[in-house]
Amino acid sequence: MQLIDQNILLGVTGSIAAYKSVELARSLTEEGANVHAVLTESACRFITPYMFETITGNPACSDLFKEPFSHINLPKEARLLIIAPATANTLNKLACGIADNLLSSIWLAYEGPVIMAPAMNFRMYRHPIVQKQIKALRKLGVQFAGPVTGVLACGEEGKGRMADVSVIHEAAVRSLSVQDLKGQHILVTAGPTREPIDPVRFISNRSSGKMGYAIAAAALRRGADVTLISGPSALRPPDGADFIKVESASAMERAVFDNLRKATAVIMTAAVSDYSSRKIAKVKLKKKDSLSLNLKINTDILKKLGQKKGKRLLVGFAAESGKNIEHAKEKMKKKNLDLIVFNDISQKGAGFDIDTNVITLIGAKGGMKEYPVMSKMDAAGVILDRTGELLKDRK
Ligand code: CTP
C-alpha cells in the first residue's frame, strides 16, 4: 500500500550485484511504485537500461547529456532514491559531492530520503576511506541496507555482499510509511510454544506465527522499536526487530518479563500452551497401548502482565470457536487488557497457517469494530491503528 504511485529513483552502479537490482525494480513495480532506473556507465557493462525499461515501463537513463536537465527534473519528482548496488567508487564520490555522471548529479539535486545498498569486496569495504565516507553519508541521513557477510563474486568470503532484495524492498516501504509509532517500543509475542514430554515428543498449539510476525513487521514500518518473542516458527523474523526465540511457555514468560521494562505496549498474539507435563522423561518413552500424562497448568502470561502492566498498553487475542464476543469481553476484563482482538477460528478466512484473518477489535473503554476478511498484514495495520490511538490518548 505504501508504494502505490510513489516515484522511486533506482540508481544502479557497476557491480555484478547489478543483476539483483533488476529483481528489486520488479518487486517495487509490482507493489505499485513508479520506478525510474538510473544506471552508471559501469553498470551498463553488467546489465542494460532496456532490462529496467521492460520491467518498470519507464525510460531508464544513463547519459547525463542525453536530455537537458534530467539531473534536475528526475529528483524533483522522486519520493525516494535507492542506490543498489552502491560500489566503493560511487560511495566515495557521493560523499565528496563529485557530480561527474547522471546519478551523482541527481544525488546533489535530490533532497528526500536515500537508501544505499553497498556491494564490493570485503577488503574494499573495510578500507578506512570507504568506512569514513559511509560514516559521512550516514551523518547526512543516508540509510544503509547491508552489506552482509557471505561468499563474494570473486570467490572470497567476507562482509561486502549486497543485502537481499527483500531487505532493500522492506527498507523502501519503511521509508515511505507514516512514522506514527516512532518513539514507541512494542513487544510482540508470536507462534506456538512447545511443552516437552520426552526428548522427541511435545504438546503444542496450532499456530504459524503469521499474525504476530505481521504485527512486528508493520510496527517496524511505522517507526516503532520492536521486540519479537517467538515460539517455534518457520517464518523469517522482520529485519530490525530485536528477535528472541523460545520453546516453552515458561521460557516465553521469562523472555517477556526480562524485556518488559522498555516496552510501551505489549501485543500477545502467541498461542501459549495452557498445560505442560509435570514430568519430562530424559529418554524417549517406549510406545505402549495407552499413555496418561499428568499435566499442570502454565502461567497465564497475559494475566500476569495485566497485574504488572503499569502505564503500558496491553493487547490480547481471543481465538474462539464461534461468535463468543461475550467470552472475549470477559477475558479482557479478567486479564486487565486495554484492547482485545477477537477472532472466530471457525469462520472462513480465519484460522491457522493461512494469510488472512477475520477480526473484531474490542476496546476496554468501549468501541467494538468488526472487520471483513483481510490479509494478516492489513489486520496488523488496523490493530496498530487502534493501538496507536490508545497510546496517543495516554499522553
Ligand atoms: N495467553 C497467555 N498465556 C497463556 C495462555 C494464553 O498469555 N498461558 C494469552 C494469549 O497470548 C492470548 C490470550 O491469552 O493473547 C488469550 O488466549 P486464549 O487461549 O484464547 O484464552 P485463555 O485465556 O487460555 O482462555 P480459554 O482457553 O478459556 O479460551
Side-chain angles (χ1 to χ4, degrees), residues 91 107 113-117 134 136-144:
L91 285 177
W107 151 256
V114 182
I115 298 168
M116 293 191 191
I134 288 179
L137 290 166
R138 266 193 221 281
K139 237 177 158 179
L140 289 173
V142 171
Q143 197 200 322
F144 281 85

Side-chain angles (χ1 to χ4, degrees), residues 106-326:
I106 282 175
W107 151 256
L108 285 188
Y110 172 75
E111 292 179 318
V114 182
I115 298 168
M116 293 191 191
M120 64 197 77
N121 174 272
F122 72 96
R123 280 190 213 89
M124 293 171 82
Y125 180 68
R126 74 184 179 202
H127 193 286
I129 289 178
V130 175
Q131 286 304 313
K132 184 177 147 199
Q133 306 302 19
I134 288 179
K135 220 167 150 189
L137 290 166
R138 266 193 221 281
K139 237 177 158 179
L140 289 173
V142 171
Q143 197 200 322
F144 281 85
V148 294
T149 303
V151 179
L152 306 169
C154 55
E156 291 190 294
E157 213 177 319
K159 190 170 181 180
R161 261 176 86 92
M162 188 168 92
D164 275 356
V165 166
S166 62
V167 171
I168 307 169
H169 180 110
E170 187 59 29
V173 174
R174 276 183 205 169
S175 131
L176 291 169
S177 300
V178 182
Q179 300 292 289
D180 59 341
L181 293 177
K182 204 160 184 74
Q184 303 295 346
H185 190 122
I186 304 195
L187 191 158
V188 185
T189 65
T193 63
R194 281 182 185 168
E195 313 304 323
I197 296 168
D198 69 14
V200 182
R201 305 174 178 96
F202 55 80
I203 307 166
S204 192
N205 280 346
R206 281 188 68 188
S207 169
S208 61
K210 281 182 178 171
M211 194 61 244
Y213 280 58
I215 290 175
L220 283 161
R221 284 181 175 182
R222 292 163 75 151
D225 290 321
V226 171
T227 301
L228 174 61
I229 299 171
S230 174
S233 165
L235 302 174
R236 198 178 107 169
D239 212 43
D242 188 3
F243 181 66
I244 301 163
K245 200 170 169 231
V246 295
E247 285 266 327
S248 64
S250 60
M252 183 170 279
E253 180 189 348
R254 259 194 316 277
V256 166
F257 286 96
D258 283 353
N259 289 279
L260 187 61
R261 205 179 49 81
K262 49 192 177 193
T264 52
V266 181
I267 306 181
M268 281 288 302
T269 70
V272 186
S273 183
D274 284 322
Y275 301 97
S276 55
S277 179
R278 272 186 202 281
K279 234 173 92 188
I280 303 166
K282 284 202 169 59
V283 292
K284 187 182 168 198
L285 297 172
K286 286 283 165 232
K287 191 162 57 187
K288 292 184 286 187
D289 282 348
S290 70
L291 173 73
S292 297
L293 292 173
N294 188 350
L295 302 178
K296 65 173 179 352
I297 191 145
N298 287 332
T299 307
D300 188 320
I301 304 171
L302 192 55
K303 193 170 171 196
K304 192 168 157 188
L305 276 169
Q307 290 154 2
K308 301 185 177 206
K309 70 178 185 182
K311 284 189 179 153
R312 283 172 206 92
L313 194 92
L314 203 51
V315 182
F317 271 67
E320 311 279 347
S321 300
K323 219 171 173 186
N324 275 321
I325 297 271
E326 286 314 311

Side-chain angles (χ1 to χ4, degrees), residues 344-366:
D344 173 1
I345 53 167
S346 62
Q347 233 177 318
K348 203 169 168 231
F352 310 103
D353 235 331
I354 57 170
D355 291 322
T356 57
N357 208 349
V358 189
I359 60 165
T360 299
L361 296 186
I362 311 165
K365 293 190 178 143

